[in-house]
Amino acid sequence: MNPYPDKTVFGLTGGIASGKSTALKIFGQLGWEAISVDGIVAELLEQDEMVRQALKERWGDELFFSGIVDKKKIAQIIFNNPTERLWLESLLHPLVRSCWVKLIRKSDKMRFVVEVPLLFENNLKSYFNKILCTYIPMDLQLSRILQRGANVSEAKARIDAQMSSTEKVTLSDYILLGSGSEEFLRCQINQIIKSLPPIFQ
């Protein structure tokens, strides 16, 4: 299944804090249309009244502060309770997927990269021509999550909520090492783009 056969669409995935957002930014700077699933989720939480009402009914008014969804509270709920995480994913994922597919179909650009953290977990490989995966060692991944303000148990829960990074690597077409500098990541992406067959150029 390819919803957009006349366009080149790459999926970008990887473990949490592995450099996906930086890689997406670099692709955008190189002229590709860069789409962030996390960005779409943020818009839905802010603007989609059906989503907001469902969250309120499930988790109560205390999830909102001055009308704004408290994402930290959501994280605390879903990473400590797999049932709640699955409920939220079942609510958001179909909406999010519909959004980025429509964006690609309507765009006049020809090359896209879509950052999808749970690409393999949600069986989305068929939506993309190629899959790129950012990778960093587990100890660095844990350190980066802690730097973002999580405690050790929260950090481990977030890592455990996804498919292992090593498994994602084995399922991907290209691997990006996210443990170095941004310039190192840019060099890797440039090399991948140069190596692409003409059909993807």
Side-chain angles (χ1 to χ4, degrees):
M1 176 181 62
N2 187 340
Y4 17 73
D6 57 333
K7 298 179 178 181
T8 297
V9 184
F10 286 5
L12 173 63
T13 193
I16 185 172
S18 61
K20 296 185 300 297
S21 297
T22 303
L24 187 71
K25 180 185 73 173
I26 292 169
F27 269 102
Q29 293 169 345
L30 294 174
W32 291 58
E33 185 78 358
I35 300 173
S36 168
V37 161
D38 286 344
I40 295 173
V41 169
E43 288 184 14
L44 290 173
L45 294 179
E46 290 177 11
Q47 303 172 15
D48 190 300
E49 286 306 317
M50 184 274 289
V51 170
R52 291 165 62 85
Q53 185 59 35
L55 294 177
K56 187 176 292 186
E57 291 175 1
R58 184 81 174 190
W59 295 326
D61 291 332
E62 60 271 18
L63 191 69
F64 295 81
F65 179 76
S66 299
I68 299 173
V69 175
D70 189 331
K71 295 176 186 175
K72 287 187 177 181
K73 284 186 179 179
I74 289 181
Q76 290 171 351
I77 293 170
I78 66 174
F79 289 116
N80 287 302
N81 189 324
T83 300
E84 296 304 308
R85 176 168 56 82
L86 289 172
W87 175 82
L88 183 63
E89 290 176 355
S90 69
L91 172 69
L92 292 179
H93 287 177
L95 299 173
V96 172
R97 184 165 60 251
S98 176
C99 283
W100 56 257
V101 168
K102 286 179 182 177
L103 283 172
I104 294 170
R105 283 176 172 165
K106 292 180 179 179
S107 176
D108 57 2
K109 292 199 174 185
M110 300 303 295
R111 300 192 304 175
F112 301 80
V113 174
V114 187
E115 179 194 2
V116 189
L118 300 179
L119 189 154
F120 293 120
E121 291 88 337
N122 289 322
N123 196 29
L124 300 176
K125 191 169 183 176
S126 62
Y127 282 81
F128 305 101
N129 300 111
K130 296 290 183 181
I131 309 297
L132 305 102
C133 180
T134 54
Y135 174 81
I136 59 173
M138 176 75 77
D139 57 345
L140 179 57
Q141 187 180 24
L142 187 61
S143 174
R144 286 183 177 179
I145 300 171
L146 293 176
Q147 289 173 8
R148 296 179 178 182
N151 60 41
V152 173
S153 62
E154 290 171 342
K156 289 182 177 179
R158 294 185 185 196
I159 292 172
D160 292 342
Q162 297 186 1
M163 179 187 293
S164 73
S165 295
T166 51
E167 190 172 357
K168 290 187 178 188
V169 163
T170 63
L171 295 170
S172 299
D173 299 295
Y174 299 101
I175 312 306
L176 296 168
L177 300 178
S179 53
S181 66
E182 183 172 325
E183 189 55 35
F184 177 53
L185 192 55
R186 184 184 302 275
C187 288
Q188 295 175 73
I189 290 171
N190 273 318
Q191 284 300 114
I192 289 173
I193 291 173
K194 288 177 183 178
S195 72
L196 292 175
I199 190 173
F200 296 137
Q201 298 277 347

